[in-house]
Amino acid sequence: MHARGNGAASRSWKDSRMTTAQRPHEAHLAHPDAPAPADALTVPATRATGCPFDPAPTVERARREEPVTRATLWDGSSCWLVTRHEDVRTVLGDPRFSADAARPGFPFLTAGLRELATGTRASRTFIRQDDPEHARLRRMLTAEFMVKKVEAMRPEVQRLTDELLDAMTDGRNSADLVAEFALPLPSLVICLLLGVPYDDHAFFQQRSAVLLSLRSTAEEARAASDELLAYMTQLAEAKRERPDDGIFSRLVARGELDSQEIASMGRLLLIAGHETTANMTALSTLALLRNPGQQARLRSEPSLIKGAVEELLRYLTIVHNGVPRVAVEDVTLGGTTIRAGEGVLCALNAANRDEAVFPGGDTLDVGRDARRHIAFGFGVHQCLGQPLARVELQIALETLLRRLPELRLAVPFEEIPFRHDMGIYGVHALPVAW
Amino acid sequence: MRIHADQEKCCGAGSCVLAAPDVFDQRDEDGIVVVLDAEPPAALHDAVREAAAICPAAAISVTD
Ligand code: HEM
Ligand code: SF4
């Protein structure tokens, strides 16, 4: 294994800022023996210096010039990269492309993901399984995240939002928005929903960060995953004895899942439920601070918030390294034949800038109808938690703008530590003042 | 306009409910789509077409 394994997660944001700023080609560090030429299409791809909101230039160029193209992964293996909106929808919506990570040829974005899917003690979750097994497991959860259920949680999410902002602004005029607001809010919400004690947040946030880091070694990812699974197994036991009205208790009570299935489902929900929304909240705030005209429009027309959140999801597309699939049959896509057994990465971020669907897509426009974005993926694996993510983002951003009219960056923009080193994009910290 | 929603295909993430809340809802027990109004008035046709276009599971079909 060449991958560096210093546990990006445990590093302070200042260290990671230094790392990303000084080593813009860090993706290649994972493979120091075979440095790729500067413009070769490697994934995870490196963003251009100074354009932290835009997809990597290599990926953007691929969409314009060769929308179904070959790319080299961190471990030297290769796969297809699909970049146009229409083609990505086709791949993600077509059962001839499998999400089953145990199939040969499946492309992995990190050593840790490969280890967890193919190692000796692989633990499966429905995000990386196909129907009918995927549908069976997903349908145990769809009622929990359906629109009307989540809409009914608005008062609770609003209360948590206000409490966090009360604490953040109490007697102070600056703070790290990630640590004090963007990360705690979705963590508190998913803990409440699942029935996970929020007091354990340092434990599960740190393990989640290891699992999402592009730099973690297979061993580090394995250890983090095992610890989370053990934690979830213990929690399932506790819920069996003393059920509450959380999702986890209901899953246990169904009696259809063995303890390993319950633990891996809980791990998936806990990680997916807090990391993504946290990063969208902070990165959206930063994008609005950098686009004062859009920010002013949203402040003066708060009713735009729902559409603005869709536009921010599109523009920022935090699942930024591609969604993996493997072909199970030969499929011709845009004139290119993808053979059975070949891996495919769907570049959601490039697809969400596709001019054919979003004219002027490189511009943030909170008045745009962005509903066709695919920041939540597409097909039967499309994000299960999207109604929840929407409600959280709408409330968090609307409240932040309303309560902090003087919100601004507390450090120069150049010093913001972007998450180039993580599977979910965003910022490691966002020092703001008001 | 006549709407058909395939409950087998539906993956229940609710995009149709957000796009056309007068026409689509989700079943209480499992979050799967239900059609509230299979022949909606013309004023809702655009919203229904949008719902069909964004449905990730291609579960909504519309005939004129
Ligand atoms: C802004 C926030 C979020 C973004 C951008 C996002 C993005 C995504 C994407 C792109 C996928 C598809 C992965 C694939 O096809 O391989 C996905 C799946 C999933 N997401 Fe989210 N997500 C977000 C928030 C959430 C939340 C709050 C939850 C809550 C539990 C969640 C739970 C899930 C689950 C369980 C899946 C797997 C669904 C399946 O395979 O059927 N996500 N998400
Ligand atoms: S948009 Fe499609 S998949 Fe989602 S709930 Fe509606 S019918 Fe089901």
Side-chain angles (χ1 to χ4, degrees):
Chain A
M1 258 344 307
H2 296 297
R4 295 164 52 86
N6 301 340
S10 54
R11 225 174 274 145
S12 83
W13 69 268
K14 288 201 175 97
D15 297 340
S16 49
R17 171 186 65 183
M18 210 169 65
T19 316
T20 47
Q22 291 178 349
R23 303 196 208 111
H25 293 276
E26 62 181 13
H28 302 156
L29 279 183
H31 203 59
D33 301 341
D39 63 344
L41 219 178
T42 56
V43 275
T46 309
R47 285 185 164 79
T49 323
C51 305
F53 297 127
D54 292 340
T58 47
V59 176
E60 284 284 275
R61 191 179 327 127
R63 192 192 64 236
R64 281 187 222 104
E65 293 170 10
E66 203 181 347
V68 179
T69 189
R70 297 298 286 172
T72 304
L73 286 163
W74 57 278
D75 62 353
S77 66
S78 60
C79 69
W80 294 100
L81 186 78
V82 178
T83 45
R84 287 177 50 209
H85 190 270
E86 189 188 341
D87 293 340
V88 170
R89 279 181 38 131
T90 302
V91 171
L92 296 180
D94 187 330
R96 290 177 299 170
F97 293 95
S98 166
D100 183 349
R103 278 180 186 270
F106 193 87
F108 294 106
L109 284 161
T110 65
L113 290 170
R114 184 173 65 186
E115 164 67 18
L116 294 183
T118 62
T120 39
R121 282 172 297 127
S123 55
R124 320 205 62 202
T125 39
F126 62 90
I127 190 168
R128 293 289 169 259
Q129 287 177 288
D130 291 328
D131 287 348
E133 192 56 11
H134 159 265
R136 182 181 80 88
L137 296 167
R138 177 171 168 131
R139 282 197 178 202
M140 293 182 190
L141 294 165
T142 34
E144 305 284 357
F145 293 96
M146 69 179 157
V147 172
K148 62 185 160 219
K149 172 114 196 257
V150 172
E151 287 292 327
M153 290 173 56
R154 276 186 188 269
E156 185 72 4
V157 176
Q158 184 69 59
R159 183 182 64 78
L160 292 169
T161 302
D162 283 325
E163 283 176 10
L164 285 169
L165 288 181
D166 288 345
M168 186 179 95
T169 55
D170 187 22
R172 285 186 297 168
N173 63 1
S174 69
D176 171 11
L177 194 80
V178 172
E180 302 213 25
F181 181 64
L183 184 57
L185 179 62
S187 301
L188 281 161
V189 172
I190 196 70
C191 281
L192 263 177
L193 271 174
L194 288 176
V196 170
Y198 181 71
D199 283 350
D200 296 336
H201 69 273
F203 164 80
F204 66 75
Q205 285 169 351
Q206 197 271 339
R207 271 64 176 183
S208 303
V210 171
L211 287 176
L212 291 170
S213 170
L214 302 182
R215 295 207 196 92
S216 296
T217 62
E219 293 72 27
E220 287 167 334
R222 162 60 60 204
S225 168
D226 282 350
E227 284 165 8
L228 279 172
L229 289 174
Y231 174 80
M232 287 294 170
T233 307
Q234 235 177 11
L235 196 66
E237 278 315 310
K239 301 292 178 192
R240 214 181 299 277
E241 276 160 34
R242 299 179 62 188
D244 56 24
D245 64 356
I247 295 176
F248 219 54
S249 284
R250 274 194 291 284
L251 281 177
V252 172
R254 285 180 91 103
E256 295 168 52
L257 301 168
D258 63 32
S259 61
Q260 196 265 317
E261 287 175 316
I262 290 192
S264 49
M265 207 184 257
R267 180 191 54 179
L268 170 64
L269 292 174
L270 190 58
I271 299 177
H274 79 274
E275 273 283 348
T276 44
T277 313
N279 282 297
M280 257 311 287
T281 304
L283 199 60
S284 298
T285 305
L286 181 57
L288 290 170
L289 292 175
R290 294 296 287 175
N291 289 271
Q294 296 300 310
Q295 189 195 152
R297 184 156 179 215
L298 196 50
R299 282 183 191 275
S300 62
E301 291 176 72
S303 63
L304 287 179
I305 189 66
K306 288 189 179 174
V309 164
E310 300 309 311
E311 170 67 350
L312 287 159
L313 284 161
R314 177 196 75 80
Y315 181 70
L316 299 170
T317 314
I318 56 168
V319 177
H320 65 146
N321 288 324
V323 168
R325 296 290 187 268
V326 59
V328 291
E329 287 173 33
D330 293 359
V331 182
T332 301
L333 194 65
T336 304
T337 300
I338 298 176
R339 302 270 170 217
E342 290 178 339
V344 181
L345 279 177
C346 295
L348 302 181
N349 56 354
N352 276 339
R353 298 289 182 99
D354 192 336
E355 292 280 332
V357 186
F358 305 107
D362 285 337
T363 310
L364 177 70
D365 174 2
V366 295
R368 183 199 302 272
D369 180 357
R371 285 178 297 174
R372 295 197 185 191
H373 74 73
I374 46 176
F376 289 120
F378 197 72
V380 295
H381 288 277
Q382 194 186 57
C383 183
L384 173 72
Q386 56 185 294
L388 177 62
R390 288 187 163 108
V391 164
E392 290 177 328
L393 288 167
Q394 289 163 13
I395 291 177
L397 295 173
E398 187 277 325
T399 310
L400 201 60
L401 292 182
R402 176 165 46 79
R403 287 191 49 173
L404 301 176
E406 301 287 316
L407 189 69
R408 59 191 180 275
L409 286 182
V411 297
F413 180 65
E414 294 67 35
E415 288 180 21
I416 302 290
F418 284 90
R419 291 169 48 111
H420 298 289
D421 54 335
M422 303 299 277
I424 310 280
Y425 195 53
V427 290
H428 286 289
L430 189 61
V432 290
W434 51 84
Chain B
M1 168 184 275
R2 189 156 182 88
I3 302 167
H4 176 74
D6 185 334
Q7 295 180 326
E8 286 302 306
K9 282 187 177 173
C10 172
C11 63
S15 308
C16 55
V17 183
L18 294 176
D22 297 326
V23 178
F24 300 101
D25 196 0
Q26 288 170 282
R27 277 199 305 236
D28 286 339
E29 60 274 26
D30 59 6
I32 296 306
V33 64
V34 282
V35 180
L36 301 173
D37 184 354
E39 291 180 30
L44 296 176
H45 288 187
D46 280 352
V48 170
R49 289 210 174 80
E50 182 64 19
I54 59 179
C55 171
I60 299 171
S61 51
V62 174
T63 42
D64 285 310

